[in-house]
Amino acid sequence: MSIVDDTAKSASSPHDDVRRYLGAKESLEATADEVEDLEGSAGVASFKQQLDLLKRRLVEDPASFRDMFIEDGIAAAAWEFQQPELSDEFMETLWGLLKSEGDASTVLMKFIWNLPVGKKRSFIRAVDRVLSDRYPMLKGFSATWPAHVAIPPYIREPEVRAEDFELVNKGYLGYMDTGLTAREVDLLVWLEVLRDKQCEERPCELGALKKGTDERIGGCPVRIHIPEMINLIGNGDFRGALELIQAANPLPDVTGRVCPQELQCQGACLLKVPMSIGQIEFFLPQREKLLYPDANQERFADVADPWKQDTKPPIAIVGSGPSGLINAYLLAVEGYPVTVFEAFHELGGVLRYGIPEFRLPNNLIDDVVEKIRLLGGKFVLNFVVGKTATLQDLRDAGFWKIFVGTGAGLPRFMNVPGEHLLNVMSANEFLTRVNLMQGLKEEFETPLPDVKGKEILIIGGGNTAMDAARTSRRLGGNVTIVYRRGRPEMPARVEELHHALEEGIALKPLAAPTEFIGDDTGFVKAAVVDQMELGEPDASGRRAPISTGQSETIKADLVIMALGNASNPIIKDSEPRLETSKWGTIVLKTDGSQQTTLEGIYTGGDAARGGSTAVNAAGDGQSAAREILGGLEVPTEHVGDMVAKAGSYTERSLTASTIVAKRVLSDGIVEFTVRAPVVADAAKAGQFVRVLPWDGGELIPLTLADWDAKAGTICLVVQAMGTSSILMNKMEVGEAFAGIAGPLGLPSHVERHPKDKTVVFTAGGLGLPPVYPIARAHLELGNHVTLIAGFRSENLMFWTGEGERVTELEAKYGELIDVVYATNDGTVGYKGFVTGPLEEMLEDNKTSKGRELAEIVTIGPPFMMRAVSDLSKPYGVKCVASLNSIMVDATGMCGACMVPVELEGKPVRKHACIDGPEIDSHIIDWDKFLPRFNLFKSQEKDSLVRHGLA
C-alpha cells in the first residue's frame, strides 16, 4: 500500500468504516458458500487426496523434498555462476547458506569445489569484494589467487606472546578468539583448500622429482594422501579428511605443528605460495576435539583388549617420542598388545622435554597417548632400556618384536676454554628444566638459572636454539642468538626464526665463541667471540665458517649451547650384538627396512638417523610398524603364553614405588626400603637410581645402598639437606614415590686382586651407603677390603652396631675385611678425617697391615674426595671417586653432570651418569668440578624459605 493510501485510510469517517465492514462481511459469506459448493466437486476431492498423500510422503521421506529444494537452489546458483560477476546480493545469500552447516551448505561446497578454475575465480572475487571487511584475512585475496596468496593462521601479537608460554601460532581455530564461529573457521579452511590444483604428480605426498634424476625431494615422510585429504575438505567432509590422515598418522596435531613443511609437503607444492598443508593437518584434529570432545572414546569404545584376546604376539616399544608413539598406535590399532617403555616420568620424549608449550602444547601429546590406551596399549614410565632391562631381557620376557625409538641423546659442546663455568649449559638441560620439570612454576621444585634481566647467549642456529632463545625471552632474559654462519644458512625453520626476531631476540650471525670468561665465584660473565666469514663448502655442502682473526668480548650471564646431539650409548653398550655406526647410531640391516642387525629388533628416528626431525621419526615408526605387520611367523599355540608372560612383566614393571620400611639412622639421615622389583632385578654395585619423590618434585639421584631381588625391594639412604630431601624424609611407610628409574650409571669395576693386596674404601658420612655394596662385591669375589668410615661424631654413626650392615660384613668375611673408624671429634677411632688413616697407610709404603693398596675408592662429600685424590696421587695409587653430581635426567640426555677431566694434556668432558659415577679421581680437574655444587645454591635457599624450612 502506498503512502497516499495510508493517509486516505487514516482520514476516513466512522460512517465509511461501517459501510466497508458490511461490504466485506457480505463478500465473506458469499465466498464461504462457494467453498462449500466446491468441496463436493470431483476436482477438489482429487486435489485433497493428492495433498494428503504428499503430507504422508513428507513425513516418511523428508530427504526427497530436501533434495528437491536443494536441486532447485543449485540450479539457481548455477545460473548465477553463468553471469560475468556474482552479484553482492547473491554472494550474501550464498555465504549465509554456506554458514548454515546443513545439507544445503555441503552441497554448495561440493558444487563450488567442482567448478572450473575460472568460475572459482569469480567466486573468490565476490568473496574478496563482499566479505573482506568482515574477514580481514581475505582482504585482497583475489588479486593473485590461487598461486600467490594463502589464508594465514591466527598468530598472536609478538609483544603479547613474548610474555607468556601460551600458544603462539594458534592455527585457523585461533580466529575464534576474534569472534568468528567454528563454522566460519571451517569456511576459511575450505577457501584455502579451493586454491589446490589436485596435481596428478602428487608432489606434496610423493615429493618433487629432482631435475634429470629419479630422486625425489620433499614429500610426506608419513605418506598422508594429501590430495585426497584436500579433496574431502573441498567437498565439505572434514571428518572424512581427518579419518584419512589418522589411518596413516595418529598424531597429525603434533606433526602439523612441528614438521618442517617448507622442506617436505609444502616445499614440493607447485603453487608459488604453497598450500597451507601443515596448518590444515593441525586444524582437523583440533576441530574434532572442539566439536566432538568424546570422539576418541566413541571411536574406540568397542575395541577388544588385545591383552585378553591372545590372538597376536606382544610388542615392546622403547621410547615414547614421535617414532615410538606412531609405531605403538599403528600396531595397537591392528590388535597387537603393545607396551611402551619410557625412561622419563612423562610421555612424549623430545616432544615434551624439548619443545616448549608455546609451540607444542602437551595436551596434543596426551591425545595420542589416550588413543593408544583406548586400544589397549600399556605405558611403563621410569624404565631405562639398556639399564633397567636389556633388549634381550625384553625378548626373554615374551615380547615378539621390539621397536627402539630412543632418540639421539647426548648434547654436543664446543670444548673451548671456560665451558666448565657455572651457567654454561646445554639447551637439553635448560629446556628439560623448563618444559618437562616445569621449573618456571613456583609449585615445582626443579631449580632454573636466573634469567630475568640477565644477558643470555644462545649458541647455535637450529630449531632447538630458537626454542631455547624464545623460552629465555619469556623468562625475562635479554637474548642474543650467536651463530657461526650467516642468517640464510641457519638450519632453523624460517617461521621459528621470524617469530624469534619479532619477539625482540637479537641475532649475531657470523660469530663463534672461542672462550668463556668467569667471575670470582665460578659463574660465566662474558664470551670471547670470533668474527667469521664464509669460505668454501664443507662436507655438509654449506660454506664453511672461517675466522677473520678479529674478535670481541660480549657480556653473558647464561650461555645455552644448542649444537645438536650425539647418540646416547646406553642401548648399544647393553647389547654388543647390535651394530652401530662410528657416530653411535643404530645400523639398519638393509635399505628400505627398519630392522636392525638383530632379528626382530627395529629402530627409527634419531636413534638411527642421528639428529633429524619429528616427522622423519614418525615416518620411521610408521615404516617399522608396516614391516612388523608384514609377517607373523609365531605359531598360534605359542601366542597365548607370550601374551601372558609379557603382560605379567609389564605389570611387574608398573609396580608402585611404595615405601615398605623406614628407619632413622642418625640426625637427618633416613633409610627407606622401597618396592622396585625391576630395579632390584638389574641392580649392581656402584649404580644409582633417579627418584621423583612426588608430582611436582625434582629428579634426585640416589645411590643404591642395597637391594633384594627376591623381595623386589631396594634400599635408599637420604640425608636431609635441601627442600626435597627434608620433605622426602617426612614420608612414611605406605606412601609411594612418584617414580624411580634405574639402575643407572656404570657398575663398579670389580676384579680379582692377589691376596697380599687390599682395596681401600674411604667413606665420609653419607658415603657409607654407596660404599657398602661395592665393598661387598669385592668381598664376594675374594678381595681383601679396608674400609675407612668417617663420621662427624659417635652419635651420627650408623650401620656399625650389632647386626648392622658393616658388622655383618665383618662377621661373614672375617679376615678379608678391616674396618677403621674416624670421627671429627675423636669420640670413636681416629680423631679427624678419613684422610688420617689413609695417609698412614700411604706413608707405610702404601700398605694396610702389610697388604699393598691395590686401589682406593672414595665416596662422600666432594671436598673429602678431592682430599683423598690429592693425597693418593703422589704415591701412584689408583684412586676412583664416585660422583653424585648435579643431574636432571641422569641418562646423559641433559649433559648437566659434566665432569671436567684432563687426558693427555687436553681438557675433556665426561658425564657422571654415563661415564661414571666412578671416575679416575686423578684426571678430574677438581678446581673446575667443585664449584658446580654451588650452581643452584641461591635457588635452594629460596626454596627452603618458601617451604618454611630455612
Side-chain angles (χ1 to χ4, degrees):
M1 184 177 289
S2 69
I3 295 176
V4 176
D5 292 334
D6 287 338
T7 305
K9 179 181 176 181
S10 62
S12 63
S13 66
H15 177 74
D16 291 337
D17 290 342
V18 172
R19 181 170 53 78
R20 288 171 57 223
Y21 165 73
L22 292 174
K25 187 171 183 297
E26 184 179 343
S27 298
L28 183 62
E29 289 171 350
T31 302
D33 291 340
E34 185 177 1
V35 168
E36 188 175 352
D37 291 341
L38 291 172
E39 286 277 3
S41 69
V44 172
S46 176
F47 169 76
K48 291 176 70 175
Q49 187 178 11
Q50 291 179 23
L51 184 61
D52 186 54
L53 178 63
L54 191 63
K55 288 179 180 178
R56 288 201 303 271
R57 286 183 60 193
L58 182 59
V59 172
E60 294 170 2
D61 186 19
S64 62
F65 288 89
R66 176 197 62 201
D67 294 343
M68 179 178 68
F69 289 118
I70 289 175
E71 287 172 11
D72 288 345
I74 291 297
W79 183 88
E80 288 283 350
F81 272 92
Q82 295 306 314
Q83 308 311 306
E85 293 292 337
L86 301 182
S87 68
D88 291 6
E89 295 78 10
F90 173 73
M91 189 63 228
E92 288 284 6
T93 302
L94 179 60
W95 190 252
L97 288 169
L98 287 169
K99 288 200 304 179
S100 67
E101 300 188 64
D103 293 325
S105 173
T106 303
V107 171
L108 284 169
M109 292 172 83
K110 291 179 180 179
F111 169 73
I112 296 171
W113 169 251
N114 289 291
L115 287 172
V117 173
K119 299 302 180 184
K120 287 181 182 175
R121 199 183 301 275
S122 173
F123 171 68
I124 294 299
R125 285 198 298 270
V127 166
D128 190 348
R129 186 180 67 250
V130 177
L131 302 176
S132 58
D133 286 342
R134 270 169 276 174
Y135 307 100
M137 72 291 296
L138 300 177
K139 195 77 174 177
F141 189 62
S142 64
T144 54
W145 187 91
H148 295 81
V149 65
I151 298 178
Y154 179 73
I155 297 174
R156 297 169 63 222
E157 292 298 319
E159 60 273 12
V160 176
R161 70 189 192 228
E163 303 298 326
D164 62 40
F165 281 80
E166 298 300 315
L167 196 56
V168 171
N169 183 339
K170 301 193 73 172
Y172 288 119
L173 280 173
Y175 284 114
M176 292 181 70
D177 292 354
T178 68
L180 299 192
T181 65
R183 180 57 182 174
E184 287 175 301
V185 174
D186 280 355
L187 293 176
L188 291 182
V189 174
W190 176 71
L191 286 173
E192 171 64 12
V193 161
L194 284 181
R195 300 173 54 226
D196 185 61
K197 296 172 65 177
Q198 289 288 288
C199 313
E200 290 185 10
E201 304 88 6
R202 310 170 72 84
C204 53
E205 178 184 343
L206 304 177
L209 282 172
K210 192 174 180 180
K211 191 173 182 180
T213 72
D214 293 332
E215 181 184 349
R216 289 188 178 271
I217 303 172
C220 180
V222 289
R223 294 293 180 262
I224 293 171
H225 300 316
I226 297 170
E228 284 81 0
M229 173 193 77
I230 291 175
N231 182 60
L232 285 165
I233 297 173
N235 282 291
D237 187 0
F238 291 90
R239 297 196 81 181
L242 177 62
E243 289 171 6
L244 179 74
I245 293 179
Q246 290 183 327
N249 177 17
L251 51 161
D253 36 8
V254 173
T255 54
R257 293 207 66 80
V258 301
C259 172
Q261 291 95 6
E262 67 276 11
L263 302 178
Q264 302 287 349
C265 53
Q266 295 177 193
C269 183
L270 300 182
L271 296 175
K272 296 294 183 183
V273 175
M275 292 290 300
S276 303
I277 299 168
Q279 291 299 326
I280 294 168
E281 184 186 359
F282 171 61
F283 162 76
L284 289 171
Q286 293 304 294
R287 175 188 187 272
E288 183 84 351
K289 195 175 297 182
L290 175 69
L291 300 179
Y292 311 100
D294 298 324
N296 285 345
Q297 290 82 352
E298 294 170 3
R299 181 181 175 194
F300 302 116
D302 298 324
V303 173
D305 186 344
W307 291 95
K308 295 177 181 177
Q309 293 292 100
D310 285 353
T311 57
K312 295 182 179 179
I315 297 168
I317 289 91
V318 181
S320 67
S323 66
L325 288 177
I326 195 169
N327 185 267
Y329 173 85
L330 293 174
L331 292 168
V333 84
E334 293 294 332
Y336 284 83
V338 300
T339 298
V340 179
F341 294 94
E342 167 56 45
F344 274 130
H345 59 282
E346 296 278 1
L347 296 165
V350 68
L351 300 175
R352 191 178 296 268
Y353 74 74
I355 303 178
E357 286 211 80
F358 58 76
R359 201 154 71 84
L360 181 69
N362 286 336
N363 60 24
L364 303 186
I365 305 167
D366 299 336
D367 180 68
V368 70
V369 169
E370 179 192 41
K371 293 173 187 173
I372 296 170
R373 289 192 195 277
L374 291 169
L375 288 164
K378 298 179 184 292
F379 293 90
V380 178
L381 305 178
N382 300 297
F383 192 107
V384 184
V385 175
K387 294 294 184 180
T388 314
T390 65
L391 296 175
Q392 187 58 50
D393 289 336
L394 295 181
R395 294 297 293 269
D396 294 342
F399 290 99
W400 172 52
K401 299 283 178 75
I402 300 172
F403 176 79
V404 179
T406 49
L410 299 173
R412 291 193 176 99
F413 291 85
M414 299 182 70
N415 287 325
V416 297
E419 207 170 29
H420 66 280
L421 290 167
L422 306 184
N423 273 359
V424 177
M425 63 176 55
S426 74
N428 282 10
E429 177 184 357
F430 179 69
L431 292 172
T432 296
R433 289 182 178 275
V434 177
N435 299 336
L436 178 70
M437 302 308 300
Q438 297 291 301
L440 70 166
K441 298 178 181 177
E442 191 170 292
E443 64 270 26
F444 285 76
E445 286 303 313
T446 297
L448 286 182
D450 291 331
V451 176
K452 190 171 185 178
K454 304 294 185 180
E455 297 299 322
I456 317 298
L457 297 187
I458 311 296
I459 313 301
N463 290 326
T464 301
M466 299 305 113
D467 288 338
R470 298 173 69 194
T471 296
S472 301
R473 169 67 183 85
R474 282 158 174 77
L475 293 173
N478 304 315
V479 186
T480 301
I481 297 170
V482 178
Y483 183 56
R484 60 183 183 153
R485 289 185 170 92
R487 178 173 173 176
E489 289 77 32
M490 294 183 77
R493 294 185 65 189
V494 173
E495 176 186 22
E496 299 304 321
L497 176 59
H498 175 68
H499 286 169
L501 298 177
E502 277 189 330
E503 290 164 7
I505 293 166
L507 175 62
K508 193 173 187 62
L510 292 170
T514 57
E515 181 183 1
F516 298 109
I517 301 170
D519 62 16
D520 295 338
T521 62
F523 280 83
V524 67
K525 69 175 183 180
V528 178
V529 178
D530 267 13
Q531 295 178 18
M532 314 296 284
E533 62 183 7
L534 295 181
E536 295 300 315
D538 61 15
S540 70
R542 293 183 296 168
R543 294 175 65 191
I546 301 171
S547 176
T548 63
Q550 296 179 309
S551 65
E552 63 176 316
T553 300
I554 55 179
K555 190 175 184 337
D557 299 306
L558 172 65
V559 177
I560 299 173
M561 313 294 275
L563 305 171
N565 294 299
S567 295
N568 193 305
I570 288 178
I571 290 285
K572 74 178 182 66
D573 287 351
S574 68
E575 181 46 90
R577 296 174 299 169
L578 193 68
E579 187 178 341
T580 55
S581 71
K582 63 181 180 180
W583 300 282
T585 55
I586 300 174
V587 172
L588 300 178
K589 187 175 182 179
T590 59
D591 288 342
S593 170
Q594 297 299 139
Q595 187 166 205
T596 69
T597 52
L598 280 181
E599 188 71 26
I601 309 295
Y602 299 78
T603 190
D606 290 356
R609 293 174 176 267
S612 187
T613 63
V615 75
N616 279 331
D620 290 347
Q622 180 193 70
S623 296
R626 289 173 176 165
E627 202 170 340
I628 291 169
L629 292 170
L632 180 59
E633 66 270 17
V634 180
T636 305
E637 62 271 19
H638 294 168
V639 171
D641 289 341
M642 294 175 72
V643 171
K645 195 174 180 182
S648 176
Y649 186 84
T650 298
E651 292 306 313
R652 180 174 169 82
S653 303
L654 287 168
T655 302
S657 303
T658 305
I659 300 169
V660 297
K662 175 183 177 181
R663 190 161 67 104
V664 177
L665 299 180
S666 66
D667 186 24
I669 299 178
V670 174
E671 174 188 299
F672 291 102
T673 302
V674 184
R675 197 170 303 286
V678 290
V679 178
D681 287 343
K684 292 182 176 64
Q687 292 184 295
F688 64 96
V689 292
R690 185 194 69 212
V691 179
L692 179 69
W694 52 83
D695 292 332
E698 60 181 316
L699 294 172
I700 301 172
L702 292 174
T703 300
L704 275 167
D706 204 353
W707 56 90
D708 185 335
K710 187 175 179 180
T713 59
I714 61 174
C715 174
L716 305 175
V717 178
V718 182
Q719 183 174 19
M721 297 181 68
T723 298
S724 295
S725 53
I726 291 172
L727 295 179
M728 282 175 71
N729 281 358
K730 293 182 179 182
M731 295 178 71
E732 298 294 341
V733 172
E735 294 184 82
F737 295 127
I740 295 180
L744 301 172
L746 297 176
S748 294
H749 177 70
V750 180
E751 61 177 308
R752 186 73 170 88
H753 293 294
K755 292 184 179 180
D756 61 348
K757 292 193 175 184
T758 185
V759 180
V760 178
F761 290 87
T762 62
L766 208 64
L768 183 56
V771 155
Y772 168 75
I774 308 172
R776 182 178 61 189
H778 278 276
L779 291 167
E780 289 171 348
L781 197 62
N783 290 335
H784 185 275
V785 166
T786 301
L787 170 62
I788 307 174
F791 301 93
R792 279 183 290 169
S793 62
E794 181 179 12
N795 66 309
L796 295 177
M797 295 175 68
F798 60 89
W799 284 9
T800 59
E802 191 67 30
E804 299 277 335
R805 282 183 169 81
V806 174
T807 51
E808 282 185 346
L809 287 181
E810 291 180 288
K812 183 174 182 179
Y813 293 101
E815 294 183 354
L816 275 182
I817 181 170
D818 293 328
V819 179
V820 180
Y821 293 114
T823 51
N824 294 8
D825 59 6
T827 49
V828 174
Y830 280 80
K831 182 177 181 179
F833 306 116
V834 294
T835 48
L838 177 63
E839 188 171 14
E840 289 186 11
M841 295 176 192
L842 292 169
E843 290 179 350
D844 188 19
N845 200 25
K846 299 180 289 186
T847 63
S848 173
K849 294 186 178 180
R851 289 188 177 87
E852 184 180 346
L853 273 58
E855 64 176 308
I856 301 167
V857 179
T858 180
I859 308 179
F863 285 98
M864 183 219 80
M865 291 191 289
R866 178 183 187 159
V868 170
S869 179
D870 290 346
L871 180 63
S872 61
K873 190 172 183 178
Y875 293 92
V877 178
K878 177 184 177 183
C879 183
V880 170
S882 183
L883 306 176
N884 189 352
S885 186
I886 292 171
M887 300 182 188
V888 182
D889 73 296
T891 66
M893 184 278 297
C894 71
C897 59
M898 185 268 286
V899 181
V901 304
E902 189 170 294
L903 292 175
E904 299 177 355
K906 295 180 180 180
V908 178
R909 173 187 296 269
K910 286 185 177 289
H911 296 281
C913 69
I914 289 293
D915 305 301
E918 293 181 6
I919 293 178
D920 181 351
S921 73
H922 294 154
I923 65 171
I924 296 173
D925 189 330
W926 292 95
D927 287 334
K928 295 177 180 176
F929 176 67
L930 290 177
R932 296 193 65 78
F933 292 91
N934 295 321
L935 177 57
F936 295 114
K937 194 170 184 179
S938 63
Q939 290 88 335
E940 290 166 358
K941 286 182 179 179
D942 291 342
S943 177
L944 288 169
V945 171
R946 194 166 63 248
H947 289 274
L949 301 172

